[in-house]
């Protein structure tokens, strides 16, 4: 029955899929993938579901982030350490500000497929669709979709997951060490003085905990969950466990704990939403500025049929100029439906622009403005601003404009390394973290006042 539903889901129109040149070879690769080892376990995914239920109830915060596009070349321990370290450092600042747990979900171990606006690039070549499909190198041969890349993606994801588990357990579980790195940011950033008070308060809290005899190295501190966009359906549908623990039999993805459906593939009649309906994993749906409140309620109805808190995350990416106008009626209508979704802000994808010198970029001030608008909307409506979804790296790239160092267009070429969209660098990310910390602290106060 479930297998038949899967066949029916995949028979629906699927946007953004590659035209594999040799279907027989693709089928052979998919058969091989079905035999491959899973990247994550259902028990881990169930643990994330429980953590996300707390987020949906307003008792925790979801922090998701990482590269726009993972690449095979950058799948190295140092790169993962930098990105995971950044995620954990941001999480520490936000945990302290919110006085609530932060659930860390990396864009990692599978974020290899990219939806694109145009099928061809400026040179007339097939566009780069992520390392799982073709190569970024600008030649016709390299851009031709190659199904064998799905096997390479799986092997890379398995390696990344093993590293991520080890790095988070052995290197990033000590809040004191993370805090020391954050203090270095505060000491060296041109806007560090602005964040000194927050850093000192965190310092005091950590010393207080040490006084109580705990360094805070808990199992929760070393946890990490992974996520990616469920875009390439040949890959996503190849590794599924049967999951009979819930109210109806479903599949649990063996490829990631959390999967999201992107803005370009969220059509209600399409294969991606139908596929997501068959998963027991927590699911995200990106909602852009054209989303209507009625559509949002339909996602809730289809993807959260049993009204499970945190099962669905609605990831708004409206753009800084539209968030205050477009988001409120959506939040109101979904709230009235009685479902407890997670409201997450992706301040990246609605704020992309092309610089005068031809780089795809984003302005730091626009990113902050969208997050501020998101918090304002939820404060106004009395709902929980439950999470943040960032494209960010712990490396010192020059891809987004602005921030404390005032990165300008002329700075972009120096270290513009992304394979797709521009990421915040480590310093811009920490500046954002301290800014969001203030917003979160405020929202916690309002939450407590309302609860009284
Ligand atoms: O990461 C996201 C998408 O792949 C991206 O925003 C689409 O980018 P494009 O407009 O450059 O194709
Ligand atoms: C493509 C992405 O986002 P969106 O679907 O919101 O454009 C992404 O998060 O990588």
């Amino acid at each position: 029955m479930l297998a038949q539903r899967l066949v029916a889901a995949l028979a629906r129109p699927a946007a953004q899929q590659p035209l594999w040149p040799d279907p027989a070879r693709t089928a052979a690769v998919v058969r091989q993938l079905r035999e491959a080892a899973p990247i994550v376990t259902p028990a881990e995914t169930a643990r994330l579901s429980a953590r996300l239920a707390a987020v949906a109830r307003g008792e925790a915060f979801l922090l998701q982030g990482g590269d726009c596009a993972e690449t095979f070349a950058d799948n190295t321990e140092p790169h993962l350490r930098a990105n995971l370290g950044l995620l954990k450092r941001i999480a520490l600042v936000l945990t302290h500000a919110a006085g609530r747990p932060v659930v860390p979900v990396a864009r990692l171990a599978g974020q290899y497929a990219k939806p694109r606006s145009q099928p061809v690039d400026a040179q007339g070549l097939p566009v780069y669709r992520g390392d799982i499909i073709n190569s970024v190198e600008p030649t016709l041969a390299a851009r031709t979709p190659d199904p064998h890349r799905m096997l390479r993606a799986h092997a890379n994801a398995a390696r990344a997951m093993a590293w991520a588990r080890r790095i988070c357990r052995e290197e990033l579980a000590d809040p004191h060490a993370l805090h020391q790195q954050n203090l270095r940011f505060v000491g060296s950033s041109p806007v560090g003085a602005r964040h000194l008070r927050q850093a000192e308060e965190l310092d005091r809290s950590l010393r207080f905990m040490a006084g109580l005899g705990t360094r805070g190295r808990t199992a929760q501190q070393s946890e990490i969950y992974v996520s990616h966009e469920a875009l390439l359906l040949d890959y996503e549908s190849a590794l599924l466990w049967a999951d009979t623990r819930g109210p109806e039999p479903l599949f649990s993805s063996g490829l990631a704990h959390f999967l999201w459906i992107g803005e370009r593939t969220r059509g209600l009649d399409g294969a991606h939403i139908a596929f997501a309906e068959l998963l027991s994993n927590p699911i995200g749906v990106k909602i852009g500025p054209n989303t209507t409140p009625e559509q949002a309620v339909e996602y809730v109805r289809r993807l959260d049929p049993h009204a499970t808190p945190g099962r669905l995350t609605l990831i708004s990416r409206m753009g800084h100029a539209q968030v205050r106008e477009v988001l409120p009626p959506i939040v109101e209508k979904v709230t009235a439906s009685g479902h407890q979704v997670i409201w997450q802000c992706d301040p990246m994808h609605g704020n992309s622009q092309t610089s005068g010198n031809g780089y795809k970029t984003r302005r730091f001030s626009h990113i902050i403005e969208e997050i501020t608008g998101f918090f304002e909307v939820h404060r106004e409506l009395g709902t929980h601003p439950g999470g943040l979804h960032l494209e960010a790296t712990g490396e010192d790239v020059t891809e987004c404009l602005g921030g404390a160092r005032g990165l300008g267009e002329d700075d972009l070429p120096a270290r513009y390394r992304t394979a797709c969209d521009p990421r915040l660098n480590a310093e811009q990310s920490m500046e954002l973290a301290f800014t969001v910390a203030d917003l979160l602290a405020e929202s916690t106060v309002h939450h407590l006042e309302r609860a009284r």
Side-chain angles (χ1 to χ4, degrees), residues 55-98:
V55 175
R57 290 193 299 264
E59 298 158 8
F61 190 78
L62 166 61
L63 175 66
Q64 194 166 3
D67 292 322
C68 167
E70 286 186 89
T71 62
F72 300 158
D74 259 348
N75 191 22
T76 64
E77 255 190 290
H79 181 66
L80 265 61
R81 182 176 293 114
N83 282 12
L84 291 166
L86 179 71
L87 202 64
K88 292 289 188 166
R89 288 167 58 200
I90 299 174
L92 180 71
V93 172
L94 300 187
T95 305
H96 185 255

Side-chain angles (χ1 to χ4, degrees), residues 68 114-118 264 349 360 391 420-421:
C68 167
K114 297 308 304 173
R116 301 308 302 259
S117 315
Q118 303 297 334
R264 293 166 187 76
H349 288 88
K360 189 173 183 185
E391 287 186 341
C420 194
D421 279 2

Side-chain angles (χ1 to χ4, degrees), residues 226-435:
V226 295
S227 65
H228 62 258
E229 176 170 349
L231 180 67
L232 181 59
L233 294 172
D234 285 326
Y235 183 71
E236 299 301 334
S237 60
L239 261 170
L240 299 168
W241 311 80
D243 184 352
T244 52
R245 290 167 302 179
E248 60 171 330
L250 288 171
F251 291 118
S252 176
S253 170
L255 294 170
H257 304 113
F258 179 104
L259 290 164
W260 76 86
I261 306 299
E263 166 72 359
R264 293 166 187 76
T265 51
R266 63 177 169 84
L268 280 158
D269 296 331
H272 291 84
I273 293 289
F275 174 68
E277 268 183 301
L278 301 180
L279 300 178
S280 60
N281 301 65
I283 297 292
V285 178
K286 293 286 197 94
I287 50 172
N290 297 327
T291 314
T292 63
E294 291 70 30
Q295 273 172 349
V297 166
E298 194 54 17
Y299 293 129
V300 170
R301 199 186 62 73
R302 296 263 304 272
L303 297 172
D304 180 30
H306 305 289
T308 310
R311 144 74 179 170
L312 180 64
T313 297
L314 290 174
I315 312 167
S316 67
R317 29 90 84 218
M318 306 294 179
H320 70 284
Q322 303 203 61
V323 61
R324 290 175 179 82
E325 190 191 325
V326 183
L327 187 56
I330 295 176
V331 175
E332 282 176 314
K333 195 145 181 118
V334 169
T335 305
S337 77
H339 291 252
Q340 281 182 293
V341 303
I342 295 174
W343 296 106
Q344 189 187 34
C345 173
D346 165 359
M348 314 300 295
H349 288 88
N351 292 309
S352 304
Q353 62 183 81
T354 304
S355 66
N357 50 355
Y359 288 87
K360 189 173 183 185
T361 188
R362 290 161 178 154
R363 208 167 270 289
F364 185 78
S365 57
H366 291 167
I367 291 169
I368 296 294
E369 187 54 23
E370 178 155 359
I371 298 172
T372 307
F374 172 82
F375 272 83
E376 281 172 16
V377 167
H378 286 288
R379 181 178 159 180
E380 193 72 19
L381 299 176
T383 41
H384 177 45
L388 210 53
H389 188 123
L390 301 174
E391 287 186 341
T393 175
E395 291 174 357
D396 184 22
V397 300
T398 51
E399 298 170 4
C400 289
L401 296 168
R405 302 232 173 243
L407 230 73
E409 294 198 345
D410 292 346
D411 298 311
L412 295 177
R415 289 178 303 284
Y416 192 95
R417 295 184 184 139
T418 181
C420 194
D421 279 2
R423 302 159 295 179
L424 294 166
N425 64 26
E427 214 178 48
Q428 290 168 327
S429 303
M430 288 316 300
E431 191 180 339
L432 177 146
F434 279 102
T435 309

